[in-house]
Amino acid sequence: MYHAIVRRKLLAAFADLNAGRYDRIPAQFAAEHRHCMIGSHALGGERRGLAATTLWYGRLQRLLPGLRFEVDGILVSGWPWRTRAVVSWRDRFLLPGGAEGSNCGMHEFELRWGRVSALTVHCDTARLAGYLAEVAAAGQPEALAEPITG
């Protein structure tokens, strides 16, 4: 039963992202957490505070407009005091000029008492860096900015 509740919460978070409700995501994190995206690019790096994580989700929304996830699977294990979950997905988003970009990957979560204490995002980082270079070349320099940390 508990694992089904966690699955529903994770699906709801991805539905919020798909609907452009990025402002709902940081509230799901514990005050002290680890938010990490693998890779050396503007969305990469590690954040440990809610302010930095909130800034990251704002950047994600600006750099990959129309971002939509299709969840392929969710695995959940553990108990409320330490739950591990993995969500595998495929995404798509708009690129400058109207073309569509896409990637695939997974989110690796640790939850403690219902709050995200750690999240690591894994995807094809070379593909993502290429898309960000394209976004920067179209006039959005933030796509080549240093990662948000803090």
Side-chain angles (χ1 to χ4, degrees):
M1 178 65 149
Y2 169 69
H3 292 173
I5 292 168
V6 171
R7 277 188 202 85
R8 279 197 306 272
K9 285 184 73 169
L10 291 170
L11 285 170
F14 279 89
D16 281 340
L17 290 170
N18 288 347
R21 295 185 295 258
Y22 288 72
D23 58 315
R24 293 186 181 184
I25 303 302
Q28 298 174 35
F29 284 83
E32 293 182 22
H33 62 272
R34 180 179 180 269
H35 179 280
C36 179
M37 184 164 193
I38 304 301
S40 298
H41 48 74
L43 293 171
E46 183 175 308
R47 289 137 297 280
R48 294 198 170 264
L50 289 174
T53 298
T54 300
L55 289 173
W56 186 89
Y57 279 99
R59 178 178 281 181
L60 175 67
Q61 189 173 28
R62 287 187 300 278
L63 295 181
L64 303 178
L67 177 62
R68 295 195 48 84
F69 290 92
E70 183 174 331
V71 173
D72 293 322
I74 300 176
L75 299 173
V76 180
S77 66
W79 300 101
W81 52 89
R82 185 166 186 236
T83 307
R84 303 292 301 241
V86 175
V87 178
S88 63
W89 48 262
R90 288 172 282 139
D91 70 10
R92 61 186 191 280
F93 45 87
L94 297 176
L95 291 167
E100 188 173 270
S102 65
N103 210 328
C104 61
M106 66 178 218
H107 280 52
E108 178 186 359
F109 291 91
E110 182 175 296
L111 297 97
R112 293 185 184 266
W113 300 110
R115 309 291 270 179
V116 177
S117 59
L119 168 60
T120 302
V121 181
H122 304 269
C123 69
D124 182 336
T125 58
R127 178 178 242 180
L128 178 57
Y131 287 137
L132 293 173
E134 188 175 333
V135 170
Q140 194 164 7
E142 184 179 22
L144 296 179
E146 291 296 314
I148 295 169
T149 58

